[in-house]
Amino acid sequence: MAYFDNGNKIFADARANHYAVGAYNINNLEWTRAILRAANETRTPVLVQVSMGAAKYMGGFKFVRDMVADQIDAMAITVPVILNLDHGDFAAAMECIKLGYSSVMYDGHKLPLEENYRQTREVIRAAHQRGISVEAEIGKVGENQDASSGELAAVEDARAFAELGVDKLACGIGNIHGIYPPDWQGLDFARLAAISDAVTIPLVLHGGSGIPKKQVQRAISMGIAKVNINTEFQLAFQAATRAYIEAGHDLDKDHKGYDPRELLLPGTEAITEKMKEMIAWLGTPAVA
């Protein structure tokens, strides 16, 4: 029967030993299977996560939990799997805690600071009673192709959230969700160093897709233990699917190239291969 690890020991070990574990967003059944397959084939732990929007698209948080659990069993997955809510609001975090997700990221950065503290504290209390891990965000991760939309995390906020009891801390250090623009200036390693010196809990790099390998690995050496990746897989899926269609394979009626199982297969396989590449970047060690 499927079991979800909360990841606390895994991420503590990752920070202590200067590697990272990937956190990969799922968008449908194919995404889920592609990610679980890559983890099992490389024998590495994996964090499977779902955003509020993706959960709504797939039918809700309960469906996502059940689907991931069923696939763990159906695919005979034997590596640790962490099921995480990504960028959830308060209601979503509390729902996922009740449903048995093993990790939740509560994102209250839009709230006044004191209200963010209050709600984060409540999420931590509810989650920790059930052995569930909690991630919070300080600063603001930029949005797609807009380098100016983010805010650097403050060191004093890092200390404050660590004192609240969060298990992992996502930091705005110049990173961006989505595609990075040509004028992006790179990660702010000075700010990351200051935060890493101030707190001992595992740090999280959101917007991992598109950051150059050397920067990702430097960030890992400075305390990043979890790297979020989504856009990288979306682009790989899109490119492989486009190639299949442009080659006319979907028009092959003799071999049923129009069958969704055939149509989606190249993109699904591309996700698995891209994930194996990212695992190598992160230096994630295999489990016994």
Side-chain angles (χ1 to χ4, degrees):
M1 186 174 179
Y3 166 75
F4 295 125
D5 196 299
N6 70 13
N8 284 346
K9 290 183 179 178
I10 293 170
F11 289 110
D13 186 73
R15 171 155 185 177
N17 292 289
H18 306 297
Y19 66 88
V21 174
Y24 307 104
N25 288 68
I26 57 173
N27 296 285
N28 56 25
L29 174 64
E30 284 74 23
W31 238 264
T32 304
R33 289 180 63 84
I35 289 167
L36 290 175
R37 180 175 292 112
N40 220 39
E41 290 180 358
T42 58
R43 306 298 307 148
T44 54
V46 62
L47 187 146
V48 175
Q49 62 185 17
V50 65
S51 67
M52 293 172 61
K56 182 178 180 181
Y57 171 77
M58 286 187 276
F61 292 117
K62 181 180 182 299
F63 174 84
V64 171
R65 182 206 63 190
D66 292 347
M67 177 186 68
V68 176
D70 288 346
Q71 289 306 308
I72 289 172
D73 290 337
M75 298 174 70
I77 303 300
T78 56
V79 296
V81 178
I82 303 148
L83 180 62
N84 182 56
L85 166 67
D86 187 32
H87 286 284
D89 62 17
F90 182 78
M94 297 303 282
E95 180 179 355
C96 288
I97 289 168
K98 291 177 182 177
L99 285 170
Y101 281 54
S102 59
S103 177
V104 294
M105 183 211 174
Y106 169 61
D107 184 355
H109 79 268
K110 293 182 180 179
L111 298 172
L113 191 58
E114 287 304 316
E115 181 63 12
N116 188 0
Y117 284 162
R118 188 190 69 77
Q119 292 195 7
T120 301
R121 188 179 294 110
E122 192 168 343
V123 169
I124 291 169
R125 180 190 58 78
H128 285 182
Q129 285 178 348
R130 297 167 174 82
I132 296 167
S133 181
V134 178
E135 176 183 335
E137 178 178 323
I138 55 173
K140 182 181 183 301
V141 178
E143 297 303 329
N144 189 40
Q145 301 185 71
D146 185 358
S148 65
S149 60
E151 296 176 1
L152 289 179
V155 176
E156 55 267 30
D157 288 345
R159 290 195 186 96
F161 276 89
E163 289 172 1
L164 282 179
V166 297
D167 302 290
K168 301 181 294 295
L169 193 59
C171 311
I173 52 170
N175 40 331
I176 297 172
H177 289 129
I179 296 174
Y180 284 78
D183 62 346
W184 181 60
Q185 299 300 303
L187 298 178
D188 190 320
F189 289 105
R191 185 58 56 91
L192 175 58
I195 292 169
S196 184
D197 287 343
V199 300
T200 59
I201 58 177
L203 302 178
V204 180
L205 180 64
H206 283 238
S209 301
I211 300 175
K213 180 178 180 179
K214 287 184 178 180
Q215 292 197 38
V216 171
Q217 293 181 335
R218 183 179 175 189
I220 291 170
S221 75
M222 298 170 66
I224 293 293
K226 171 177 176 273
V227 178
N228 285 25
I229 298 166
N230 183 27
T231 304
E232 197 95 20
F233 293 173
Q234 292 179 341
L235 293 173
F237 184 91
Q238 177 253 353
T241 305
R242 175 175 288 277
Y244 180 88
I245 292 173
E246 288 184 343
H249 295 311
D250 60 313
L251 302 176
D252 184 350
K253 293 182 173 59
D254 292 336
H255 298 91
K256 298 182 68 173
Y258 52 83
D259 188 319
R261 289 170 292 182
E262 297 294 329
L263 185 62
L264 297 174
L265 182 59
T268 304
E269 291 178 336
I271 293 170
T272 296
E273 292 309 307
K274 179 59 68 173
M275 180 170 154
K276 289 180 178 180
E277 178 185 332
M278 298 310 300
I279 288 169
W281 279 33
L282 303 180
T284 316
V287 296

